[in-house]
Amino acid sequence: MLKALVAGLIFGAILQAARIDNFDKVAKFTALRDLTVLRFLLVAVGVGLMVLMPLIVFGFASFHIKPLLLVGIVVGGILFGIGMAILGYCPGTAIIALGNGSLDALIGLIGGLTAGALFTLAYPYLKDFLGPLLDKPHIYLSTPWANIVLALVVGSVLVALAWALREPRQQGDKTGKTS
Amino acid sequence: MERKRVLHWFIGGAALGILNALVFTHFWADRPIGASTAYPYVAAKLLGITNEYAQKIAKAGLWEVWFLLGGLIGAFLVAVINKDFKPRLVYPFWEETKGGESLKAGPLRLCRRLSPHMGREDGGGLHQRAYPLGRYATGGFQYHLRAGRYSDGCYFRALVLP
């Protein structure tokens, strides 16, 4: 578990250093008033893709594709989005935010544990309704180098999109001032 | 007021992408970064749930608990180094859109009502009879603690008598 701890240390340090782990940033993103979080994530996914695919092709890493439980993913995604928009954190950033003193994340932590307990207890009765279980979706070409090129292209597009995004025009706040 | 960012979003995003890719490798964790499974895992442990789902998520949940613990420590260290650590309950955007004063004032009002108030007890300050809770003497003064529902919302009064 030391490896998990070290990974988390670096993860928390990055998010805190980039100021991504606070309510204002995430809530403003869901309100489309600040796209920093979206740009951050686009770069993370794009760069991660460009680094990970060669590692997989050369045998240093493996895919971990989750099964596609259609109803579970759709319903879970909706609930996740609602919760994230209200709380201003995702399950990971809530804990990270506690590290900088965000006590409001504690409320989300309690809610998350409660929901986790309820789902765990209800899982035997719910699992038949989370499907249908579709095949693991993936885009993997037959030629290894083609996969690396595809990853570089898609990753570059995501990074370029992050750069191209413009911050939305700020609306006047309640005092009538515009930022 | 938003503080100056230390790490540009592009650098931070790239760093996170590289970290995730490295964690994926067989040399590190051979799995992606994640946090959500920690919640049902911890909840199941706290409540002693051992059903099918709890057993299914045991390994992933344990990993993610350690991961989040590391994240908490890492964020705390960076916040302290950057002098950005500040206990807070309400953020400016919440105050702007929802009004945070009631959230902050609620617990404070409750504490104020429950804590003993020192001083003289006004004759017109009571709505109900005040009940004596005790009398203490120290430092040449006597403190008479009383409980009641006072007009200013307080529940306790401590009379200080020489």
Side-chain angles (χ1 to χ4, degrees):
Chain A
M1 292 302 138
L2 180 63
K3 294 180 181 177
L5 188 70
V6 171
L9 270 167
I10 301 172
F11 177 79
I14 291 172
L15 262 62
Q16 174 59 29
R19 301 288 201 279
I20 296 295
D21 61 341
N22 66 72
F23 172 85
D24 275 2
K25 269 285 176 272
V26 180
K28 283 187 176 180
F29 160 58
T30 59
L32 298 180
R33 288 177 57 173
D34 186 335
L35 300 181
T36 305
V37 172
L38 177 61
R39 301 168 96 180
F40 180 94
L41 291 175
L42 283 172
V43 172
V45 173
V47 170
L49 182 60
M50 289 189 281
V51 174
L52 181 59
M53 186 56 77
L55 291 173
I56 291 175
V57 168
F58 292 117
F60 296 116
S62 304
F63 283 115
H64 294 277
I65 304 174
K66 300 287 185 185
L68 184 56
L69 281 167
L70 198 58
V71 173
I73 286 175
V74 171
V75 174
I78 292 171
L79 292 174
F80 187 98
I82 293 173
M84 188 169 173
I86 294 174
L87 181 63
Y89 306 107
C90 70
T93 53
I95 305 299
I96 306 299
L98 284 175
N100 68 29
S102 299
L103 301 177
D104 55 319
L106 272 176
I107 301 171
L109 175 64
I110 295 170
L113 290 174
T114 304
L118 290 173
F119 181 82
T120 303
L121 288 169
Y123 180 77
Y125 311 102
L126 288 176
K127 63 178 180 178
D128 292 334
F129 300 101
L130 296 178
L133 176 58
L134 304 178
D135 197 9
K136 297 180 180 181
H138 65 88
I139 301 174
Y140 194 75
L141 306 176
S142 56
T143 308
W145 280 104
N147 289 296
I148 294 176
V149 171
L150 179 62
L152 288 174
V153 170
V154 175
S156 299
V157 168
L158 293 175
V159 172
L161 182 59
W163 271 114
L165 282 173
R166 290 285 181 265
E167 294 296 333
R169 184 186 299 271
Q170 297 296 321
Q171 298 175 2
D173 61 18
K174 288 187 176 179
T175 63
K177 297 179 184 176
T178 56
S179 53
Chain B
M1 182 180 71
E2 179 147 340
R3 295 181 178 81
K4 181 182 175 183
R5 285 192 298 258
V6 173
L7 193 63
H8 191 270
W9 56 265
F10 184 83
I11 305 296
L16 182 61
I18 294 171
L19 173 67
N20 195 30
L22 292 178
V23 171
F24 241 94
T25 63
H26 303 313
F27 310 114
W28 200 319
D30 196 18
R31 56 153 289 155
I33 285 174
S36 303
T37 311
Y39 287 75
Y41 172 80
V42 171
K45 284 292 182 187
L46 289 175
L47 298 177
I49 305 171
T50 57
N51 65 6
E52 171 192 355
Y53 186 72
Q55 293 173 23
K56 186 178 176 182
I57 65 169
K59 184 181 176 185
L62 179 61
W63 191 93
E64 293 183 10
V65 166
W66 280 99
F67 174 77
L68 289 176
L69 179 62
L72 177 65
I73 297 170
F76 175 73
L77 291 175
V78 171
V80 169
I81 291 170
N82 289 339
K83 297 180 181 176
D84 196 34
F85 180 84
K86 178 185 176 185
R88 55 172 75 88
L89 188 61
V90 180
Y91 273 86
F93 189 58
W94 183 276
E95 283 183 334
E96 176 189 330
T97 55
K98 296 289 184 185
E101 192 55 41
S102 61
L103 282 174
K104 284 189 290 190
L108 292 174
R109 278 201 298 268
L110 185 62
C111 290
R112 181 176 177 275
R113 288 180 179 178
L114 293 178
S115 61
H117 281 254
M118 313 297 286
R120 297 174 57 184
E121 181 174 301
D122 294 328
L126 291 175
H127 286 304
Q128 299 173 359
R129 178 184 294 276
Y131 298 93
L133 296 180
R135 186 176 64 185
Y136 312 94
T138 180
F141 287 89
Q142 288 191 26
Y143 301 87
H144 297 254
L145 188 62
R146 297 186 183 183
R149 183 65 171 91
Y150 293 90
S151 56
D152 59 358
C154 296
Y155 294 113
F156 296 100
R157 286 261 188 217
L159 300 180
V160 183
L161 300 174

